[in-house]
Amino acid sequence: MPERISPLEAPYAPETAALLRRMMPTDEEPLALFRLYARNQQLAQALHDWGSYQLSRRLSLDLRDRELVINRTCARCGCEYEWGVHVARFASRAGLTDAQIASLTHGTSADECWTTERDRLLLDAVDALHTHHDLDARLWARISTEFTSEQLLDLFMLCGWYHAISYTARATRLAPEPGTPRFRDFGLPARDQDQA
């Protein structure tokens, strides 16, 4: 389906090129999402500043925790674009197995691939935030014994941040990055993203 707002293409204006260089951690071609946000320079700069924190070691959640939250959030939002970017770039480094990626995408925290309470709690928290926009007293009692207040605040903001990214990628019909996985690669068919 056609993109509703197309990402910028090279050659870039000098200030756009500089911004995109800051947004990419390597000399790779900038992701389509970054090139999309670069259509609004002020927004792109603000997003870069916040995203730099979310994906840094300053975040109180470790890489595995972070990627569980991001991938589950993107899957629940039906955002194949951002889910695919994170699976391709970080799943291996986060120690996620194919069964865990499939469960993050289509399953639940009760799936047998989840062997630690910490992982199950993260999935349950993302699901509760996505569905109810809150954590009930029972989940709060469980999660607050495993995670510090600092980690919980990072978790809530990380989940919300990737909701916002998912909204942008889905509403603009952003095409998946070349070579990134699709939902169907991990079990079930992709969700219908053709909205009216």
Side-chain angles (χ1 to χ4, degrees):
M1 78 193 78
E3 293 170 334
R4 292 176 170 171
I5 303 174
S6 297
L8 294 176
E9 297 290 341
Y12 309 112
E15 69 178 19
T16 300
L19 174 62
L20 290 171
R21 274 193 304 277
R22 287 192 304 274
M23 294 177 88
M24 283 303 292
T26 65
D27 290 334
E28 300 172 59
E29 177 66 21
L31 295 172
L33 181 72
F34 297 163
R35 293 183 288 113
L36 177 71
Y37 282 131
R39 288 189 167 280
N40 179 333
Q41 293 276 316
Q42 296 299 314
L43 174 64
Q45 183 58 56
L47 293 172
H48 170 63
D49 293 343
W50 182 247
S52 294
Y53 170 73
Q54 294 284 358
L55 297 180
S56 76
R57 292 186 177 150
R58 293 176 292 154
L59 188 77
S60 63
L61 299 169
D62 67 22
L63 174 67
R64 182 179 176 84
D65 292 345
R66 182 191 84 193
E67 290 305 308
L68 286 171
V69 170
I70 292 171
N71 285 309
R72 184 61 169 188
T73 299
C74 292
R76 289 296 310 267
C77 289
C79 185
E80 197 168 44
Y81 172 87
E82 191 66 12
W83 172 92
V85 167
H86 276 265
V87 169
R89 290 178 176 263
F90 300 109
S92 176
R93 292 190 331 205
L96 296 175
T97 66
D98 284 355
Q100 289 170 335
I101 295 167
S103 179
L104 284 168
T105 311
H106 310 291
T108 73
S109 66
D111 293 340
E112 64 183 39
C113 62
W114 304 113
T115 59
T116 70
E117 178 68 358
R118 186 177 185 94
D119 289 352
R120 287 189 294 269
L121 282 169
L122 288 169
L123 270 66
D124 290 345
V126 171
D127 288 351
L129 290 168
H130 183 81
T131 303
H132 305 292
H133 319 293
D134 194 7
L135 303 183
D136 64 24
R138 185 175 174 176
L139 181 53
W140 182 260
R142 289 174 53 220
I143 201 166
S144 63
T145 62
E146 179 74 31
F147 294 89
T148 67
S149 297
E150 179 184 26
Q151 290 172 320
L152 289 170
L153 291 170
D154 273 340
L155 172 103
F156 303 148
M157 292 302 294
L158 186 66
C159 191
W161 174 251
Y162 278 88
H163 266 85
I165 288 172
S166 294
Y167 297 159
T168 300
R170 292 220 43 203
T172 62
R173 306 297 190 259
L174 195 58
E177 291 289 334
T180 58
R182 307 295 296 268
F183 288 154
R184 66 179 173 261
D185 297 333
F186 289 91
L188 298 175
R191 295 181 188 182
D192 180 13
Q193 295 188 27
D194 188 19
Q195 301 171 1

